Amino acid sequence: AALKLSMRSSVKLGPRGISMPMYGFGTYKLKGSKCKKMVTAALKRGVRHIDTASFYDNEKYVGEAIRESGIPREDIFVVTKLWPDDHGFAKATNAFYTSLNNLGFDYIDLYLIHWPGGAPADLRKESWQALEKLLTEGKCKAIGVSNYTIKHLKELLNYCKIPPAVNQVEFHPKLYQKELLHFCSEKGIALGAYSSLAKGALIGDKTIMAKKYSRTPAQILLRWALEHEVIIIPKCSTEERLEENMNLFDWELTAEDMKVLDAMHEDWHCTWDPSQIK
C-alpha cells in the first residue's frame, strides 16, 4: 500500500526542486565529541541529512564530523535553525552567519525559524525577510519554519515573497496533525517530524503492534511517519539504536494498521504547544 521507500527517498522542496532526504539524523541534546561520534556513525551508514540548531550548541561538532567524513559537502543535506532570541532582520542575519561559521561551511541547505514566538509578529516577519535575502544570495538552498500552526503559516504566506519549503513540527500518533499535514501538502510545504517517539511515551503502548510486525515500537512509529510522506530525524546516542532506527525500509504497515495508529490521536504534545503563540 505504501510508497516504495528507501534510504535514498527524498522530497523535492519548493519551486527550485532541491532534494531533501526523508530520513535524517537529529542531534538535539548530543554534545561535544559524543555528537561528532554519532554524526560520523550516521554518515558511515549512509545517512545524508543532518539536523541541528543554534540552540543545540553542537553545530561545531556537526560541521567537523561532516568535513572529516570524506563525503562531498554537496552530498549532505544540513539543516540548522534560528532561535527566537534572534528574531528581527539584523539579528536573524547575524545568527545565520554565526551558525554558518560554527558549522564551518559556506552555505546551509535548509535554514528554519525554530519557533514562532519569543518576539512580536512583526519581528517574526523581519526574520523571514532576512531568510529570503540569504536565500537569494545563495547562502542557503531553502528556507522554512518549525512549530508553525496553520494560523502562523497563513500569516506568513500572506506577506512572504518566497514561501517556506518545510515546516518541522512535533508529529507522532498521539499528535497526528492531519489538518496541518493536509494544509502543508496543498501549499507545497514539506512536513518534517520531530519527537517521532513522543520522548518514549508511546514505546510501551500495545496499540503500536510491534509484536505483530516483529519490529520495535520505535521502528513502527518511524515507519508510520514515513508512510504519511513526512520527513523524520530520529536522534539517538548509541550505534545499536542508530541501526534499529534505520531499519525501516524492507517492510511496510498495512493500510488498516495505519488507520489504527492514526486513531491514537488525542492532540497530546510531549513538547511545547505553539497554538498559544499569537
Side-chain angles (χ1 to χ4, degrees):
L3 322 154
K4 279 286 163 262
L5 290 163
S6 76
M7 210 49 204
R8 297 259 163 277
S9 298
S10 62
V11 289
K12 294 270 181 269
L13 300 183
R16 304 165 122 190
I18 297 144
S19 280
M20 177 176 188
M22 286 182 77
Y23 186 100
F25 181 73
T27 62
Y28 179 48
K29 289 193 171 164
L30 288 175
K31 300 281 190 224
S33 58
K34 180 75 176 172
C35 173
K36 187 173 173 180
K37 178 174 173 257
M38 289 310 301
V39 172
T40 301
L43 293 169
K44 271 209 177 94
R45 284 173 171 74
V47 177
R48 292 295 177 267
H49 161 193
I50 308 291
D51 180 276
T52 180
S54 63
F55 178 65
Y56 304 168
D57 196 24
N58 62 15
E59 290 168 316
K60 181 171 165 284
Y61 300 97
V62 168
E64 281 177 13
I66 290 170
R67 276 197 306 282
E68 291 169 22
S69 69
I71 300 159
R73 167 67 186 94
E74 60 273 15
D75 292 349
I76 302 172
F77 193 97
V78 180
V79 184
T80 191
K81 311 179 192 87
L82 173 80
W83 191 240
D85 295 349
D86 296 316
H87 273 310
F89 192 86
K91 281 175 92 173
T93 305
N94 289 339
F96 173 85
Y97 281 105
T98 301
S99 285
L100 195 63
N101 291 335
N102 285 339
L103 286 158
F105 298 149
D106 47 18
Y107 72 92
I108 285 165
D109 296 273
L110 175 64
Y111 194 51
L112 303 178
I113 290 181
H114 206 147
W115 177 246
D122 58 332
L123 278 184
R124 184 159 76 216
K125 176 178 178 176
E126 278 190 27
S127 297
W128 189 255
Q129 290 166 334
L131 267 60
E132 289 178 328
K133 185 166 187 279
L134 290 161
L135 181 72
T136 52
E137 290 169 351
K139 290 291 164 192
C140 41
K141 299 267 176 91
I143 52 177
V145 293
S146 182
N147 298 297
Y148 272 43
T149 62
I150 292 176
K151 180 187 77 173
H152 300 128
L153 289 171
K154 281 181 170 165
E155 174 199 280
L156 174 58
L157 291 168
N158 237 347
Y159 60 66
C160 67
K161 290 194 183 77
I162 300 163
V166 173
N167 183 21
Q168 188 190 101
V169 298
E170 183 182 336
F171 191 87
H172 47 73
K174 287 210 169 168
L175 188 63
Y176 171 35
Q177 304 205 52
K178 195 173 166 181
E179 290 78 20
L180 182 63
L181 181 58
H182 182 70
F183 180 86
C184 287
S185 152
E186 277 195 329
K187 301 288 182 195
I189 302 167
L191 198 74
Y194 71 79
S195 295
S196 290
L197 312 182
K199 301 202 163 171
L202 300 179
I203 295 298
D205 197 308
K206 295 286 180 285
T207 322
I208 288 166
M209 302 172 280
K211 281 212 169 66
K212 172 176 176 179
Y213 285 92
S214 309
R215 297 285 159 185
T216 64
Q219 289 170 333
I220 301 280
L221 292 165
L222 292 167
R223 180 74 200 191
W224 171 83
L226 284 174
E227 293 201 20
H228 277 303
E229 298 185 49
V230 167
I231 298 154
I232 56 169
I233 48 163
K235 66 170 193 279
C236 57
S237 51
T238 68
E239 300 204 27
E240 297 73 50
R241 190 54 57 81
L242 178 62
E243 289 277 350
E244 175 192 331
N245 287 350
M246 288 179 69
N247 192 354
L248 305 174
F249 299 106
D250 55 354
W251 58 284
E252 60 187 40
L253 295 163
T254 65
E256 294 71 40
D257 289 341
M258 284 294 289
K259 289 199 180 90
V260 171
L261 293 166
D262 292 351
M264 291 174 73
H265 175 66
E266 47 189 55
D267 202 25
W268 176 75
H269 291 260
C270 73
T271 59
W272 38 12
D273 179 0
S275 64
Q276 308 312 310
I277 303 290
K278 291 202 165 41

